[in-house]
Amino acid sequence: MTRLHVNIDHVATIRQQRDTRYPEPVTAAGIAELAGADGITVHLREDRRHITDRDVRLLRKVVQTTLNLEMAATEDITEVAVDVKPDIITLVPERREERTTEGGLDVAAAADAIKRTAEKARGAGIRVSLFVAPDPAVIEAAAKLGVADTVELHTGAYCDADDEDLRRSQLLALKIAAKRAEEVGFRVAAGHGLHYGNVGAVAALPAVEELNIGHAIIARAVLVGLDVAVREMIARIRAARP
Ligand code: PXP
């Protein structure tokens, strides 16, 4: 069964917008877990624009499922990760001017930083995932590094495809990449841009074990509540692989 990790960054985005004490990401994590989420994901960005160090530390104490910390492979965030000890870290490229993570890791160019961070994390008992484009060459480069047990495939190009042919070819790229990743021994996750309408085709890919979904769930939660929003997403994911 494909697992759902709910990314709660945008609960913190709403809070940071006004510097209030609400809404509380920790409460959101609890509601998501009670609704059936298999894990909670947060991105501690270098500019702390939404999730803060305080959130990550509290989440580590209360999350009962799996805590996945998305982060750049920098020294200062690595220090936080090694101290807080999430269950898994997902290394992502990060640029200050981007609105959200725009591409996958350039595994070859960032090899040294990835290795440094991953080795420190593994030494602290933390699993490592790499966020990569659905490209077999990148997956092979990731396997060569030998420091991660999971790859998360970037679904952005599939989600952004605005005609059916392109959507189909991007889905095929995800399918091929997921199969290749599984063959070289990775656990396979996927995410970015997935919503209630497009999640089914990705959830149906046999090699994909886990989905990381944030914006669509939090956006729906504003209208129907987080419990219902999470349950509806789980229902879509389950329906894709009866
Ligand atoms: N996976 C990764 C690695 C991400 O960086 C993000 C965005 O924070 C997501 C998944 C979730 O993307 P979305 O908010 O579009 O569902």
Side-chain angles (χ1 to χ4, degrees), residues 12-59:
T13 301
I14 296 171
R15 178 191 61 190
Q16 298 311 95
Q17 200 75 28
R18 290 287 184 93
D19 282 331
T20 48
R21 292 180 63 202
Y22 59 84
E24 172 55 67
V26 173
T27 307
I31 293 170
E33 286 187 317
L34 289 170
D38 301 290
I40 300 298
T41 299
V42 289
H43 186 170
L44 184 66
R45 296 187 72 101
E46 287 180 276
D47 61 9
R48 311 299 202 268
R49 71 171 72 154
H50 39 52
I51 291 293
T52 63
D53 299 55
R54 168 262 186 208
D55 298 332
V56 178
R57 288 179 194 283
L58 284 177
L59 287 165

Side-chain angles (χ1 to χ4, degrees), residues 3 15 27-28 33 44-45 57 62 98 101 133 140 159 172 177 185 187 194 205 211 241:
R3 297 186 298 276
R15 178 191 61 190
T27 307
E33 286 187 317
L44 184 66
R45 296 187 72 101
R57 288 179 194 283
V62 304
E98 69 191 0
T101 316
E140 271 144 36
C159 295
L172 183 61
R187 295 188 194 191
L194 293 171
L205 299 176
L211 299 172
R241 265 204 257 171

Side-chain angles (χ1 to χ4, degrees), residues 7 9-10 41-43 45 50 68 70 90-93 100-103 130-132 152-155 159 190-195 211-217:
N7 179 316
D9 289 350
H10 296 310
T41 299
V42 289
H43 186 170
R45 296 187 72 101
H50 39 52
N68 175 12
E70 292 176 5
T90 300
L91 299 183
V92 301
T100 181
T101 316
E102 280 166 5
L130 305 178
F131 187 47
V132 295
E152 179 175 340
L153 302 178
H154 198 313
T155 51
C159 295
H192 205 283
L194 293 171
H195 58 63
L211 299 172
N212 276 291
I213 308 179
H215 187 266
I217 293 175

